[in-house]
Amino acid sequence: MNIIKKKLTISGHVQGVGFRYFTSTEAKQRNLNGWVKNKDDGTVEVLLSGEKNHVQEMIARLHEGPASAVVNNVREVPVKNNNQPDGFNILRS
């Protein structure tokens, strides 16, 4: 298994449109661990951990988002620790 971890910031019209629920559902379907949360600046932040091909599939889905979202950008940001998340959670800001 080739396990990787990615942290992403998604910008656009991504809050108040079911983006966190969409992300959680899609991540669980791919057996990914991590979390998703809204940020104060209007972006959504996502941490993904799992098999490389599943993480890559998930990133492609994040570029699309749910039907009511408008995704302008998906940007990778540095992961600051090596802790492995357990399960996939929707975090509250």
Side-chain angles (χ1 to χ4, degrees):
M1 268 196 280
N2 190 3
I3 303 297
I4 64 170
K5 185 162 55 168
K6 299 280 184 177
K7 189 174 181 183
L8 308 153
T9 300
I10 298 96
S11 61
H13 182 60
V14 293
Q15 289 191 12
V17 295
F19 204 97
R20 290 179 301 164
Y21 178 77
F22 164 85
T23 302
S24 176
T25 300
E26 293 284 329
K28 288 175 182 176
Q29 288 175 358
R30 291 167 177 80
N31 295 315
L32 296 175
N33 295 313
W35 47 258
V36 59
K37 67 180 177 178
N38 286 342
K39 300 287 286 180
D40 291 339
D41 63 2
T43 62
V44 171
E45 191 171 67
V46 179
L47 180 72
L48 302 170
S49 178
E51 291 186 39
K52 183 178 181 179
N53 61 327
H54 292 165
V55 170
Q56 290 171 332
E57 289 173 8
M58 185 65 197
I59 292 171
R61 291 294 289 144
L62 291 173
H63 279 273
E64 299 169 13
S68 53
V70 177
V71 177
N72 292 337
N73 191 27
V74 176
R75 180 175 57 93
E76 189 172 336
V77 295
V79 178
K80 296 191 181 188
N81 67 48
N82 286 327
N83 296 341
Q84 288 299 323
D86 186 29
F88 198 90
N89 299 294
I90 297 174
L91 302 181
R92 308 290 178 229
S93 299

